[in-house]
């Protein structure tokens, strides 16, 4: 058995900027590789046809096991798959390659693997920058919210005291100005909080788009932003990882919003000079992430309702931070869309730890 209408496949492959290929599984050789291959992989087609294993030498060291797993899956399954991995070309140039495979069987025997490989480096790097900017934006919003909340609340409190002062009785113009200041303080605090809640609510409405991402790098980037703001937030932030790198299939933008929201909740319910710790651990086929604090904890009677929408477990933060009662429900939804699970341990007046487990 061979490709149906192979001439058409080759004709398209010869004109494409992507790499069309046909791999003869039984003889372990490429029977066809499109000319785009040489400009993307920066080695000759003849060299690969002579020794197909030389391609493996181009794979990034951190992705070699991943590529082997992908190849084994492709051989064992009877369906098309899409894979992404990195290669290192001349001058140590790193490229991201996306491969779509189509296994061809005859009498339950795999004969060929045809497919298309494309260089997605530009799109990948753009996504990295967008995700990093988005994660930092969410973190910055939380920090700015906290930075503005307390001074605005103090101004509002001082103005309230002045409004009750009998010495200003009858001074209509002054009282109007003070009332205006008080209302503006309250309005701006609510505006900031609503903006953050709106951003998080919208994230759950967008379809999950999972890609292979380094969780350690992404979470370290988020927690690092909080660590830089420790003096302003009056909390201590720690990050612990069992490995320098841990890869998993996630929608990085949404998953980092989950981490951000858990940290934000810890800030709300942890006293000044308290500690918030984020850790990540490799557990074989899954990754375990935890966000813990030594705050006021969650009362036992509220714990069963924590992940419900508009839950009775919603509470104001220690400094009056409001809650819509939607955050934890959305967190749970996003985690489950990643085929993971979330749970927590909490003791009132001792602290809380939230655990997230997702498959690698």
């Amino acid at each position: 058995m061979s490709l149906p209408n192979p001439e058409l496949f080759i004709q398209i492959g010869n004109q494409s900027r992507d790499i069309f290929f046909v791999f003869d599984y039984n003889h372990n050789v490429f029977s066809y590789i499109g000319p785009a291959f040489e400009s993307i992989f920066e080695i000759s087609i003849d060299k690969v046809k002579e020794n197909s294993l030389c391609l493996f030498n181009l794979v990034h060291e951190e992705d070699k096991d991943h590529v082997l797993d992908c190849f084994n899956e492709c051989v064992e399954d009877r369906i098309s798959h899409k894979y992404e991995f990195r290669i290192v070309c001349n001058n140590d140039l790193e490229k991201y390659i996306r491969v779509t495979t189509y296994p061809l069987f005859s009498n339950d025997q795999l004969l060929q693997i045809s497919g298309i490989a494309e260089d997605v480096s530009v799109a990948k790097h753009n996504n990295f920058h967008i995700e990093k900017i988005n994660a930092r934006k969410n973190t910055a919003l939380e920090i700015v919210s906290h930075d503005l909340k307390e001074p605005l609340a103090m101004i509002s409190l001082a103005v309230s005291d002045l409004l009750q002062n009998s010495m200003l009785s009858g001074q209509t113009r002054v009282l109007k100005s003070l009332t205006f200041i008080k209302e503006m303080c309250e309005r701006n605090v609510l505006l900031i909080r609503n903006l953050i809640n709106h951003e998080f609510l919208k994230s759950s409405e967008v379809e999950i788009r999972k890609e292979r991402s380094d969780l350690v790098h992404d979470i370290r980037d988020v927690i690092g932003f909080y660590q830089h703001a420790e003096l302003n937030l009056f909390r201590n932030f720690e990050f612990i990882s069992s490995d320098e790198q841990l890869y998993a299939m996630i929608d990085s933008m949404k998953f980092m919003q989950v981490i951000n929201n858990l940290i934000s909740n810890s800030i709300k319910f942890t006293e000044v000079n308290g500690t918030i710790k984020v850790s990540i651990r490799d557990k074989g086929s899954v990754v375990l992430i935890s966000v813990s604090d030594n705050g006021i904890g969650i009362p036992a009677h509220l714990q069963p309702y924590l992940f419900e929408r508009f839950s009775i477990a919603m509470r104001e933060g220690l400094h009056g931070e409001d809650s819509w009662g939607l955050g934890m429900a959305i967190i749970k939804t996003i985690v489950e869309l990643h085929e993971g699970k979330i749970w927590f341990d909490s003791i009132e007046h001792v602290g809380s730890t939230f655990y997230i487990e997702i498959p690698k």
Side-chain angles (χ1 to χ4, degrees), residues 304-350:
Y305 310 102
L306 192 65
F307 292 113
E308 293 180 359
R309 285 179 177 255
F310 302 105
S311 168
I312 63 170
M314 57 187 287
R315 299 178 293 163
E316 283 191 347
L318 295 178
H319 300 281
E321 299 93 339
D322 60 328
S323 171
W324 285 12
L326 285 167
M328 296 309 299
I330 293 174
I331 283 175
K332 186 171 185 288
T333 298
I334 294 176
V335 170
E336 289 176 346
L337 287 171
H338 283 83
E339 300 172 49
K341 57 183 180 179
I342 182 170
W343 70 97
F344 66 93
D345 294 324
S346 186
I347 301 175
E348 196 169 6
H349 309 304
V350 176

Side-chain angles (χ1 to χ4, degrees), residues 129-277:
H129 289 304
I130 291 169
E131 288 167 4
K132 181 174 286 189
I133 290 169
N134 188 71
R136 289 188 173 181
K137 174 206 68 180
N138 292 333
T139 306
L141 281 173
E142 290 292 349
I143 292 170
V144 168
S145 171
H146 186 275
D147 285 349
L148 292 179
K149 173 80 175 179
E150 291 191 5
L152 288 174
M154 290 175 66
I155 293 170
S156 180
L157 184 64
V159 170
S160 295
D161 185 57
L162 287 173
L163 287 170
Q164 296 173 14
N165 194 317
S166 59
M167 292 179 62
L168 297 177
S169 178
Q171 300 188 36
T172 306
R173 185 174 179 181
V174 174
L175 291 171
K176 279 186 176 181
S177 296
L178 291 174
T179 301
F180 175 76
I181 292 170
K182 183 175 185 295
E183 289 176 352
M184 287 301 293
C185 288
E186 293 173 349
R187 187 180 302 169
N188 279 280
V189 169
L190 182 61
L191 177 65
I192 293 167
R193 177 50 51 188
N194 286 352
L195 175 63
I196 294 169
N197 285 341
H198 177 74
E199 285 291 311
F200 192 62
L201 286 169
K202 292 297 288 183
S203 73
S204 67
E205 298 173 8
V206 183
E207 184 179 353
I208 290 288
R209 184 177 181 272
K210 293 194 287 187
E211 294 182 323
R212 186 168 177 264
S213 301
D214 181 359
L215 278 168
V216 176
H217 173 274
D218 291 351
I219 295 177
R220 179 180 279 129
D221 194 56
V222 170
I223 197 71
F225 212 71
Y226 283 102
Q227 287 172 328
H228 286 308
E230 280 183 341
L231 294 178
N232 293 329
L233 293 172
F234 305 105
R235 310 290 192 282
N236 303 303
F237 295 90
E238 298 179 10
F239 177 60
I240 300 171
S241 175
S242 64
D243 300 78
E244 280 300 311
Q245 294 168 317
L246 277 175
Y247 288 93
M249 296 295 292
I250 62 169
D251 184 318
S252 183
M253 196 175 294
K254 294 182 183 60
F255 199 79
M256 290 311 110
Q257 282 185 286
V258 167
I259 302 300
N260 257 316
N261 199 260
L262 288 175
I263 294 172
S264 173
N265 284 340
S266 289
I267 293 172
K268 286 181 191 176
F269 300 108
T270 301
E271 298 282 2
V272 169
N273 295 322
T275 298
I276 296 166
K277 183 187 297 182

